[in-house]
Amino acid sequence: SLDLSNNPNLYEVHCRDNPQLMQLNIANGNTAGITGIVNAVGTTPANLTIKVDVAFLTSTPYNTGNLPPNWAVHPGTIFIT
């Protein structure tokens, strides 16, 4: 797992080619401020679980078809709070 929740100024996350990465925590109080996530390319698991802020999930439909434009996540990605 990768816990970035203590980084409120985070604006981009690149985590592709990490076959052992199963959980990513970006619930940093500013999930909406993250302009880009890349995990779709490479060997990062299709069923990656990403923990986000509650406010992000209530303001953004969290299926991968309706995410911010620079969030390139695998269609099997699971979002939790």
Side-chain angles (χ1 to χ4, degrees):
S1 74
L2 180 58
D3 185 349
L4 302 174
S5 62
N6 288 322
N7 297 286
N9 296 323
L10 195 64
Y11 68 93
E12 215 170 76
V13 177
H14 292 259
C15 55
R16 64 181 177 204
D17 298 323
N18 286 292
Q20 296 178 347
L21 183 62
M22 298 302 293
Q23 296 180 334
L24 173 63
N25 183 348
I26 56 170
N28 63 355
N30 189 30
T31 301
I34 298 174
T35 59
I37 292 184
V38 177
N39 88 313
V41 181
T43 59
T44 303
N47 60 343
L48 175 69
T49 299
I50 300 178
K51 185 173 183 178
V52 296
D53 298 323
V54 172
F56 179 79
L57 282 187
T58 58
S59 66
T60 306
Y62 58 92
N63 66 55
T64 55
N66 293 312
L67 290 171
N70 292 326
W71 281 40
V73 297
H74 192 281
T77 300
I78 301 162
F79 293 92
I80 63 171
T81 58

